[in-house]
Amino acid sequence: DIYVKDTNGEGDERAWFRSAAPFKNITQWSHDGRYLIFDQPDPATGWDIWALPTSGEAKPIPVLRSRYNEQTGHVSPDGKWIAFISDESGRPEAYVTSFPTPGARYQVSTDGAQFMDWAPDGKAVYFVTLNGVTRRADVESGATFRTGSSRVVFRTPTNVLGIAPMPDFKRFLEVVPVGNTSQSSVTVEMNWATALEKH
């Protein structure tokens, strides 16, 4: 569930939003401070993107809720667009649509994507491809949205677990495992019900 706590450390944390969904992944506090953007799964629709108003009644608004998985929503600096990842093409790709009411979807990536965010001035979007390449695509957004071809910014390690840009987008913070890390494995026990009957 989602809780809020003052950054000065004073006071207790307060429950902001609760639901039956087992996970709620917060991706952004919108630039104008009006919404908290988060993902949560639904048995009927998969992963969906919601906007939780930061004032008034804390009743979340469904932004992207379809039969596809939509995740990692990031609202543009001017508050008119939202960038996100969707698997509607059969694999995760980067898209942009209007916010808070979605309209036409504009696909930004072509080789898969796993993360997406806006440049601070809103004139470009960054996304990370499935093979760990960070790319930048310049965009024009007003009444409509247009984007050109993307270019490589840098390549991330193949074992990266997470990535987050600094506010100026001149540096990126990446999470990678270090030292000796053992490969996780899954053990499958066959005919376990028969084994129980023998006891």
Side-chain angles (χ1 to χ4, degrees):
D1 293 324
I2 297 176
Y3 288 77
V4 63
K5 184 177 175 63
D6 295 336
T7 55
N8 60 15
E10 297 179 359
D12 297 326
E13 61 185 24
R14 305 178 297 280
W16 202 357
F17 173 66
R18 293 188 175 105
S19 76
F23 304 104
K24 296 165 192 69
N25 297 329
I26 298 172
T27 57
Q28 183 198 29
W29 200 310
S30 64
H31 295 271
D32 58 12
R34 296 176 58 193
Y35 299 101
L36 190 73
I37 309 300
F38 70 96
D39 317 328
Q40 70 175 2
D42 185 291
T45 58
W47 283 92
D48 305 313
I49 296 176
W50 296 74
L52 184 65
T54 58
S55 61
E57 184 181 1
K59 185 176 181 181
I61 303 165
V63 179
L64 292 162
R65 194 179 190 201
S66 71
R67 59 191 179 95
Y68 306 110
N69 289 302
E70 291 118 350
Q71 293 178 274
T72 64
H74 285 80
V75 178
S76 60
D78 64 5
K80 296 179 179 179
W81 305 90
I82 185 168
F84 62 100
I85 303 297
S86 172
D87 63 0
E88 62 187 82
S89 69
R91 69 176 176 184
E93 296 282 5
Y95 294 85
V96 170
T97 190
S98 55
F99 179 85
T101 303
R105 296 188 179 200
Y106 304 91
Q107 185 172 337
V108 178
S109 65
T110 56
D111 297 320
Q114 56 184 321
F115 171 83
M116 191 173 185
D117 203 352
W118 297 85
D121 59 6
K123 295 181 179 180
V125 290
Y126 289 80
F127 61 91
V128 181
T129 64
L130 299 179
N131 60 355
V133 178
T134 298
R135 304 184 70 92
R136 172 192 166 108
D138 293 330
V139 302
E140 294 180 18
S141 59
T144 59
F145 179 87
R146 288 188 298 175
T147 181
S149 58
S150 63
R151 63 182 184 272
V152 175
V153 179
F154 61 88
R155 299 180 184 276
T156 62
T158 56
N159 60 345
V160 66
L161 301 176
I163 183 170
M166 298 294 99
D168 59 5
F169 272 68
K170 293 182 179 179
R171 293 180 297 170
F172 287 73
L173 181 66
E174 297 183 341
V175 180
V176 294
V178 295
N180 297 323
T181 57
S182 59
Q183 197 78 349
S184 60
S185 62
V186 176
T187 301
V188 179
E189 181 73 26
M190 307 296 290
N191 300 318
W192 58 271
T194 305
L196 288 176
E197 293 173 359
K198 293 179 181 180
H199 293 283

